[in-house]
Amino acid sequence: MILIQAIIQPTKLSNVQSALDEAGFSDTIVGDALGYGRQRGQTALFRGNEYKIDLLRKVTFEMVIDDDDLEPVVEIIRNASRTGTEGQIGDGKIFVLPVASVIDI
């Protein structure tokens, strides 16, 4: 089994969830995240004063899947979370981790 953790833009969450639901992958965990990568934050203007926002809002999206489903799920997440056809800096990252075992509570 594999844990997929994707950090994506909040505006792309519904696209990713819809695409995964259509493909039959509906078990997910979603949480808020703050951070930055190559973007290095953003500069904003408020009441005439310029200030820097260091941590940008993102969404972390996790799911556990079978090994055979890895490639299709990664492609679905990648395509649904891109900005434009090629993607942009800040669209996010996908992490793939092995899962040793799953225990029901």
Side-chain angles (χ1 to χ4, degrees):
M1 297 185 82
I2 294 177
L3 170 68
I4 294 181
Q5 183 182 43
I7 299 172
I8 60 174
Q9 293 184 12
T11 56
K12 296 295 184 174
L13 178 61
S14 62
N15 293 352
V16 173
Q17 284 181 319
S18 297
L20 287 169
D21 282 342
E22 287 178 18
F25 303 103
S26 58
D27 298 336
T28 60
I29 299 168
V30 177
D32 286 325
L34 295 172
Y36 70 90
R38 288 188 286 174
Q39 283 179 295
R40 299 288 183 230
Q42 293 178 341
T43 303
L45 192 64
F46 181 72
R47 295 186 180 179
N49 295 323
E50 188 174 289
Y51 64 97
K52 185 170 170 123
I53 302 170
D54 291 327
L55 298 176
L56 302 176
R57 183 170 180 264
K58 301 288 182 178
V59 173
T60 182
F61 183 88
E62 298 176 352
M63 60 190 314
V64 177
I65 58 169
D66 291 326
D67 294 350
D68 299 338
D69 297 328
L70 175 62
E71 292 302 319
V73 170
V74 167
E75 279 305 308
I76 290 169
I77 295 170
R78 178 183 285 154
N79 292 334
S81 61
R82 277 189 180 146
T83 303
T85 57
E86 296 293 319
Q88 301 291 324
I89 292 174
D91 281 351
K93 296 276 189 232
I94 300 172
F95 301 97
V96 178
L97 305 160
V99 174
S101 64
V102 176
I103 302 166
D104 287 330
I105 297 176

